[in-house]
Amino acid sequence: MTRIEIPNLPDYSEQSINGAVQYLYQILRDEIAQIRDAEELEQRRIQWLGRKAGILKQISERWISSCPPELRKHLGFAFNAFKQEVEIQLDPSKVVKAGIPVSVVEELREVPSFKTRKLDSESIDITLPGSRRLTGAEHPITRTLNEITQVFAALGYSVGVGPEVETDFYNFESMNFPPGHPARDTQDTLVVAGQERRPLRDRLLLRTHTSPVQMRTMELQPPPVRIVIPGKVHRNDAADATHSPIFHQVEGLCVDTNITFSDLKGTLDHAMKALFGSAVKTRFFPSFFPFTEPSADVQISCIFCGGKGCRKCKQSGWIELLGCGMVDPAVFAFAAEKQPAYDPKKISGFAFGMGVERIAMMKYGISEIGQFYAGDMRFLGQFV
Ligand SMILES: [Zn+2]
């Protein structure tokens, strides 16, 4: 350990104070460069910061006590900044905490002058990027749901909504699924527990389709009715690449006098062209749904290959997309209990329904339905 000479101040001008302090910073830097372990650090700490004979104590005695009061401000500032630096650089907790004294000592070698430190702490780097705010966007399911809804809104349809927890009556019975009917088995249902003492039609369940809103709307409103029903539905399905216990549907209902199957075909053909492009063709196949008679499955020409046949359409050129049919007179009979105008002899109508996830997966080329619900920003960020 070398003996350290404390420089004399020839006068108390800022220039000579700064010069003397710079000289001390240089000494401090050289001293720190020589430290090799915690023991040496402690020796230096006592040498510089010792209460009775430490270098800082000596400087303070020699410089400050003889300084004229009007010049003390600058000297006090320079001395305190230097003292702070010494305390920071010779803080033993740094070495003890790090456990590897040499690397800490390496770090300590770069001691900036107090002027540089002050400038650094007060400067603003205007070249740094600002804090970026993430842009919000519609979830692909919401977007697809809205797109389908808008196609029908343009045809004069309004939007119907209803509860997700339904009674057995609205979900099944009024949709012409009588108790014990095998068609109920096709919609594996999640039922609220502990309702065995209630009559079957009042028991609560998570709706398996958006169809109960058809009945709720007809009970409130005499014909004509034109509604689309977007919403969440639940089935006790095991999750796999294309199935999820929660998914979304958009259903439609149109009731008026003289509504025919041609109206149904024309409406859906237009809707599919509006959704997937004017080149898309549609075709109808006989099917079965309890609430429509006759019922049909609708296929559209493959949007990937234009009908030539590819992997996506299993070489058939067609993709099955939705179910539809003419409203069964039995459904009108349930509606007529509250709204006598739904007399199946005087009015007729059609209904249709489609799965939103299936359409979104097709449109955006998504192979795993679970990605819609995982909340992964890397996936969702693609839709901004
Ligand atoms: Zn194809």
Side-chain angles (χ1 to χ4, degrees), residues 301-319:
S301 55
C302 179
I303 58 168
F304 302 103
C305 63
K308 287 192 202 83
C310 68
R311 227 161 48 94
K312 295 261 170 72
C313 59
K314 295 181 184 122
Q315 309 303 332
S316 70
W318 294 90
I319 293 172

